[in-house]
Amino acid sequence: MAEIVAAMAMTHSPGLTGWFDRAPEDQRQQARRALDEMRERLRAARPDVVVLFSNDHLLNWPINNTPEYTVGIGPEHVGPADWYDEWLALAKYRIPGHPALARYLVNEGARRRLAFAYLRDMQFDDGVSVPMHYLNPDGDIPLVPVTMNCTVPPIPTPERAYQVGTTLREMVRAYPGPERVAVLATGGLSHEPGGPRYFWVDEEFDHGFLDLLKQGDHAALLRECTLERMEAAGSGGTAELLAWILTLAFTTGPAEVLAYMPAIAWRSGTGMVVWPSVKN
Amino acid sequence: MGNVERCDKTLPVNEMIFYVRRDAALRERWNCDLEGLARDFGLSREEYEALRDRDVRRLNEMGVHQYYIPQILRLFYGASANTNSHPALEAYKRAYPDEAAASERLQERLQERLARGRG
């Protein structure tokens, strides 16, 4: 039986690698400190594999066919995708996959009424590349990427993400192997990529969301953080927090907020969070 | 719901951008034969002209997915150093001057707060 050993969440703004130096020094320092802390805590948890939840930015699937969830099942993950490396200012990286766990998630998901698409050769944009650059820089922690649709209507609800997270947690726990599993959510906070409010950050929403995480009351968060509220805080981007809400189902108790920056230079409310207590 | 709900999932340009981003040969053709490329993907004249004119507001209003619009601009202007003063982002400021001005004011307030924090 696998064990959940860490749960974390972070923003994946392309500016964190592509134009990091454009943010004020205070924000750069906060981001560096928080990312160093996350990397150390991830190492300290000694995971055999990271299961990463992020959204596909219309890279892997065309708009006429966008699955709700997709699992990368390949033996190795290579990124960033060609179109993204210049934008992210990142060299190509290679990270081993964990095909046994990934394929188990697809098949066991189907048995539990969850339709997970899969890709043997998944392409990677900022959603995976930015967090792996900071948290898994040597690419030595195997990765199972799980992408979600958070941007093509109909956008799934927070309740749905939490429900899928609950089932995924049960599935990981039931995995017939001794793996130590870290879960990592990437995306958010408030932002509206490509919309009229492209340069806007909704600080009030972000603080409210992070306060709800700090309270650790999942029902209260689901009551207050509706899809409508996320859309109002930044359409088509803030709902990437669905990955955080899914990951919430692997945790218990309050989250620890390592940093929050209303980083207009990175065009995103930017935050890093760890949950000291995971649910096994 | 928000701006993303304006998206017309059946608009041919929304299909085209997916393939252009993933294919170096199509990206090359974007630069030298955009009109022919648009015709091959079944774009309407209106879609092609909005692309050709790099018209952010018109692309958004006709239902291009909002995430694709900056990518369209990056195909024209390049993708590196995509800061808020990159030509692709300047096109947004011209398309949405009120929203850009509001963000500018917010940025100034945040910078004042940071400066006070340091002082």
Side-chain angles (χ1 to χ4, degrees), chain A residues 53-138:
Chain A
F53 301 104
S54 181
N55 55 300
D56 183 49
H57 298 89
L58 285 158
L59 173 64
N60 280 289
W61 300 101
I63 201 161
N64 66 341
N65 181 21
T66 45
E68 188 184 2
Y69 290 90
T70 306
V71 183
I73 65 166
E76 185 178 56
H77 303 298
V78 182
D82 285 345
W83 169 245
Y84 282 86
D85 47 8
E86 187 186 353
W87 187 51
L88 298 171
L90 290 176
K92 292 277 189 240
Y93 57 82
R94 292 176 177 276
I95 302 175
H98 194 309
L101 175 60
R103 293 171 70 169
Y104 164 83
L105 293 180
V106 173
N107 290 316
E108 184 61 20
R111 289 182 202 108
R112 298 181 188 227
R113 318 299 306 164
L114 290 176
F116 290 153
Y118 68 86
L119 287 166
R120 228 170 278 278
D121 292 305
M122 192 179 253
Q123 294 204 22
F124 298 105
D125 51 36
D126 39 328
V128 170
S129 302
V130 172
M132 286 297 99
H133 172 75
Y134 284 107
L135 304 184
N136 193 11
D138 299 324

Side-chain angles (χ1 to χ4, degrees), chain A residues 3-8 45 169 173 181-183 247-254 274-280:
Chain A
E3 184 186 359
I4 318 291
V5 295
M8 304 178 164
R169 187 194 68 79
R173 288 288 290 145
V181 178
V183 289
T247 297
L248 197 60
F250 287 79
T251 73
T252 177
V274 296
W275 282 271
S277 182
V278 291
K279 194 171 177 184
N280 272 303

Side-chain angles (χ1 to χ4, degrees), chain A residues 190 200-208 260 262, chain B residues 106 110 113:
Chain A
S190 66
W200 188 256
V201 171
D202 189 333
E203 239 190 317
E204 188 185 339
F205 169 85
D206 290 340
H207 282 303
Y260 171 70
Chain B
L106 174 62
L110 293 171
R113 202 171 69 199

Side-chain angles (χ1 to χ4, degrees), chain A residues 5 21 33 48 77 99 104 120 198 215 221 224-225 260:
Chain A
V5 295
D21 61 342
R33 270 200 299 268
D48 297 308
H77 303 298
Y104 164 83
R120 228 170 278 278
Y198 201 178
Q215 286 165 23
L221 186 140
E224 293 188 32
C225 185
Y260 171 70

Side-chain angles (χ1 to χ4, degrees), chain A residues 19 22 26 57-59 61-62 83-84 86-87 151 153 193-194 196 198-199 201 203 231 235 264 267, chain B residues 2-4 9 18 21-22 65-68 70-71 74 79-80 82-84 89 92 99 103 107 113 118:
Chain A
W19 52 98
R22 293 307 179 99
D26 306 65
H57 298 89
L58 285 158
L59 173 64
W61 300 101
W83 169 245
Y84 282 86
E86 187 186 353
W87 187 51
T151 192
Y198 201 178
F199 306 96
V201 171
E203 239 190 317
E231 278 289 285
S235 182
I264 290 178
R267 297 193 287 279
Chain B
N3 183 73
V4 78
K9 293 164 71 172
F18 174 82
R21 287 184 312 166
R22 291 165 59 109
H65 191 284
Q66 65 176 50
Y67 189 77
Y68 277 154
Q71 311 232 354
R74 294 209 297 275
S80 65
N82 195 220
T83 69
N84 290 347
L89 280 300
Y92 264 87
E99 288 84 352
S103 298
Q107 173 88 310
R113 202 171 69 199
R118 279 195 296 268

Side-chain angles (χ1 to χ4, degrees), chain A residues 216-237:
Chain A
D217 181 341
H218 298 187
L221 186 140
L222 290 171
R223 243 187 344 266
E224 293 188 32
C225 185
T226 60
L227 184 56
E228 289 73 17
R229 186 70 193 89
M230 288 193 275
E231 278 289 285
S235 182

